[in-house]
Amino acid sequence: MTFHVSETDPIKYFTFSMIISILGIRGILLNRRNILIMSMPIESMLLAVNLNFLVFSVSLDDMMGQSFASLVPTVAAAESAIGLAIFVITFRVRGTIAVEFINCIQG
């Protein structure tokens, strides 16, 4: 089964992807109290990038975008695993994962 994207369809997908990206940036800028809540908009921005990869792949009839889109969940899973490990260690040491206290961490 082959899918065909007409000339006007990619604009709709790019607009939707742009809206998801803007909401992700807005979510990062507005939620600066909790690191865990700040990581969720980053995942939505990765979803927007993934959507762009897929739309370009279908509209250009190239498999490269789809192969990149299959790697994005891998990167997201690795980011989540490392981020959660940092959250757990920070919570054990500090007792909170509030952003205000992150600048106290010394390396």
Side-chain angles (χ1 to χ4, degrees):
M1 176 186 285
T2 59
F3 295 102
H4 179 69
V5 177
S6 68
E7 294 298 322
T8 59
D9 284 338
I11 302 300
K12 295 176 186 175
Y13 292 114
F14 293 141
T15 305
F16 182 64
S17 176
M18 182 181 65
I19 290 170
I20 293 174
S21 295
I22 290 172
L23 288 175
I25 292 169
R26 184 174 175 251
I28 290 174
L29 293 177
L30 292 179
N31 297 323
R32 291 190 173 211
R33 294 183 186 248
N34 193 341
I35 301 174
L36 191 60
I37 295 175
M38 283 177 64
S39 68
M40 286 188 257
I42 295 172
E43 298 295 328
S44 69
M45 289 190 298
L46 280 173
L47 176 71
V49 169
N50 205 8
L51 180 62
N52 279 336
F53 279 144
L54 291 174
V55 170
F56 272 119
S57 176
V58 171
S59 65
L60 297 175
D61 197 26
D62 186 19
M63 290 295 291
M64 190 61 71
Q66 293 178 16
S67 61
F68 279 135
S70 67
L71 294 176
V72 170
T74 307
V75 172
E79 174 210 353
S80 297
I82 292 170
L84 285 175
I86 292 171
F87 296 157
V88 168
I89 291 170
T90 304
F91 185 76
R92 285 183 182 171
V93 170
R94 301 279 179 208
T96 182
I97 54 174
V99 178
E100 295 91 25
F101 302 113
I102 293 300
N103 60 357
C104 299
I105 297 177
Q106 297 177 357

